[in-house]
Amino acid sequence: VARDNPAVRRLADWDAARLDELVDEYGTPLYVTDLDRVRENCTRLRDAFPDAEVRYAVKAHTGRAVLETVREAGLPAECASAGEVHRALGAGFSGDELQYTAVHPPAEDLDYVVDAWREHPDLTITVGAADTAERLRERGFDGRLCIRVNPGVGAGHHEKVRTGANAKFGVPYDRAADLVQSASEEFDLVGIHAHAGSGISGDDLENHRELVRRMGDLAREVAAAGVDLEFVDVGGGFGVPYREDEPALDLPAVAEATREALGDIDATLAVEPGRYVVADAGVLLTRVNTVKETPETVVAGVDAGMTTLLRPAMYDAYHAIRNLSAETGGTDAGDARETVGATVVGPICESSDVFCENRPLPRPDRDDLLAIGNAGAYGYEMASTYNSRPRPAEVALGGGAGGESGESGEDAALVRRRETLTDLTEVESR
Ligand code: LLP
């Protein structure tokens, strides 16, 4: 049976009764990750970019179950640290499925990755500075190298996630051709790379196109100088709709625009989305602890906070919120909850610990279960233990989540256990 694979899964599409059962079993706060949806997103990306290499930027969600699902779906891994390479190797990615993008790498990261390269000589290292290439050479690395370029054009949902014109990232565009040329004498120079930023929407598409144009020009320039590129990686950043009424990115149209902007090159196009693969495959479930009325709003204090999901505090990011209890509470249609302006806040002693302000929601009650949408990307991944709050648990659904030993029909599995108070102090020596 052909599965429906729509471009977006909205928070409203999740089955409230099922989420309720999961909470009965695993408690809150709880991340739920649907591996079938991860697989569908991989498929849609590959269909939209049929002759490109689609890599998964693992930073969006590095959980083992997700990595294995993505690997089985045929996407290689783009890693930003030794830790991410370590996770990718652990999840079974082979050397030729591994791309390490060094961002001002500490010595330990280079040591680790060069060691990994000796065992997996097909892995590729991307550097954003001549200095990093030099540090690799000092360690004996002469393998597959890619040069990250600063294209001078950025895009993304927030200033803090635009990398394309930020001095921190990449070799200045005007110097890139020279570095590609000289590096090709010492390494197996295989590619050039640039990334505009994260959360590219329709409004940013022109910036994305401009970046791709510049990369196409650079590819032709170095080819003319005799350097044979295997790939041109134009980064990730494809946005997903966070607001209920926001349109989805038209991925085939983005792919088409990318191809057109790149022009004719004698190399494979590569893209490396993270968010797009996992965002709508995840929800965060949280319980209301405290309800308080002020003249302006109804404040609902929940057990998840900025330590569970940082994006609202850090980027003012909007995440859809559903009051599941108002739907499944067994109320008759007659006593449906009234809609109020709700302010949903966490338990952290910071004024930025707010998920939404005065948003129309069914009146929250103590013990209500809320679901927060699009939590699959940069959700658990950015969680911390600030205020000494142990990190939440994560359950995976679908895709044989229960593992081979799972009971038949058992499609949920605890893939990250809830941290305990003891975990908090375990690393300390006194
Ligand atoms: N490639 C490179 C080199 C990147 O730096 C990134 C993201 C990606 C690919 C994947 O971007 P994506 O397709 O996921 O947009 N924590 C922020 C996002 C930071 C992204 C950093 N780099 C957020 O929650 O919005």
Side-chain angles (χ1 to χ4, degrees):
V1 182
R3 276 187 62 104
D4 192 19
N5 185 2
V8 200
R9 176 188 282 180
R10 307 268 175 186
L11 180 58
D13 300 330
W14 290 75
D15 176 0
R18 182 75 177 109
L19 296 175
D20 211 48
E21 282 168 18
L22 291 172
V23 165
D24 282 347
E25 188 162 353
Y26 301 103
T28 54
L30 183 70
Y31 273 105
V32 178
T33 306
D34 182 347
L35 301 177
D36 288 334
R37 183 61 186 165
V38 171
R39 189 171 301 108
E40 287 174 16
N41 289 337
C42 291
T43 302
R44 215 179 23 265
L45 280 159
R46 293 187 60 166
D47 288 350
F49 290 92
D51 50 6
E53 180 167 288
V54 182
R55 304 167 173 164
Y56 171 52
V58 310
K59 62 172 72 69
H61 191 309
T62 59
R64 169 115 180 191
V66 166
L67 293 185
E68 286 179 355
T69 302
V70 168
R71 179 177 58 72
E72 282 160 15
L75 272 58
E78 188 268 331
C79 304
S81 67
E84 289 186 359
V85 173
H86 170 73
R87 285 177 179 275
L89 287 171
F93 286 92
S94 56
D96 64 344
E97 294 170 327
L98 270 181
Q99 174 94 26
Y100 163 61
T101 309
V103 179
H104 302 280
E108 293 75 11
D109 280 44
L110 294 183
D111 292 344
Y112 177 88
V113 176
V114 171
D115 278 353
W117 162 72
R118 292 189 202 285
E119 255 181 66
H120 307 274
D122 291 340
L123 66 73
T124 303
I125 303 184
T126 298
V127 297
D131 186 44
T132 310
E134 176 62 23
R135 292 166 70 205
L136 286 169
R137 211 184 47 76
E138 284 164 14
R139 286 166 170 78
F141 177 81
D142 62 1
R144 295 167 55 82
L145 192 82
C146 168
I147 304 290
R148 179 171 185 169
V149 180
N150 184 319
V153 50
H157 70 83
H158 190 277
E159 185 49 41
K160 288 183 181 158
V161 299
R162 287 175 210 137
T163 48
N166 181 324
K168 170 171 170 173
F169 299 99
V171 178
Y173 186 80
D174 293 345
R175 301 186 194 162
D178 283 349
L179 180 60
V180 168
Q181 177 88 55
S182 60
S184 71
E185 284 153 27
E186 299 188 74
F187 302 93
D188 179 12
L189 201 291
V190 289
I192 53 175
H193 167 278
H195 173 70
S198 189
I200 298 174
S201 62
D203 303 342
D204 279 327
L205 226 49
E206 190 39 47
N207 289 327
H208 167 75
R209 267 199 293 265
E210 182 56 26
L211 173 145
V212 176
R213 253 177 238 125
R214 292 183 193 184
M215 293 302 281
D217 290 344
L218 180 61
R220 283 180 289 275
E221 185 182 341
V222 303
V227 180
D228 241 351
L229 294 179
E230 182 183 301
F231 65 81
V232 175
D233 185 334
V234 298
F238 308 133
V240 299
Y242 281 82
R243 291 178 186 271
E244 291 86 339
D245 57 355
E246 202 178 325
L249 204 60
D250 181 348
L251 201 61
V254 174
E256 168 87 42
T258 303
R259 273 268 165 241
E260 199 202 32
L262 193 60
D264 267 345
I265 55 164
D266 196 12
T268 303
L269 166 67
V271 291
E272 48 183 39
R275 186 189 312 273
Y276 199 89
V277 175
V278 283
D280 70 1
V283 289
L284 171 61
L285 301 175
T286 183
R287 186 75 79 188
V288 176
N289 305 313
T290 311
V291 177
K292 179 178 87 170
E293 303 229 1
T294 75
E296 296 83 28
T297 186
V298 179
V299 178
V302 298
D303 61 6
M306 62 188 282
T307 52
T308 329
L309 178 67
L310 181 62
R311 304 191 70 258
M314 187 149 170
Y315 315 113
D316 285 323
Y318 182 101
H319 282 260
I321 299 180
R322 232 172 111 186
N323 186 337
L324 300 177
S325 301
E327 302 165 23
T328 57
T331 53
D332 297 333
D335 62 336
R337 306 261 188 107
E338 64 170 324
T339 298
V340 297
T343 296
V344 179
V345 303
I348 307 301
C349 288
E350 294 255 0
S351 50
S352 55
D353 187 26
V354 176
F355 288 118
C356 69
E357 266 178 285
N358 236 333
R359 190 181 298 177
L361 281 177
R363 174 181 285 282
D365 242 345
R366 198 199 301 162
D367 293 335
D368 277 355
L369 183 63
L370 307 189
I372 303 183
N374 272 343
Y378 307 105
Y380 187 100
E381 211 51 45
M382 296 176 84
S384 77
T385 58
Y386 178 45
N387 271 199
S388 287
R389 297 221 152 260
R391 277 176 294 199
E394 182 188 5
V395 163
L397 298 180
E404 281 169 25
S405 59
E407 305 287 306
S408 61
E410 181 59 72
D411 76 334
L414 183 68
V415 290
R416 298 205 235 219
R417 71 161 169 84
R418 185 173 303 288
E419 288 182 354
T420 63
L421 297 183
T422 315
D423 288 325
L424 293 174
T425 47
E426 205 158 54
V427 294
E428 296 179 12
S429 64
R430 59 171 288 183

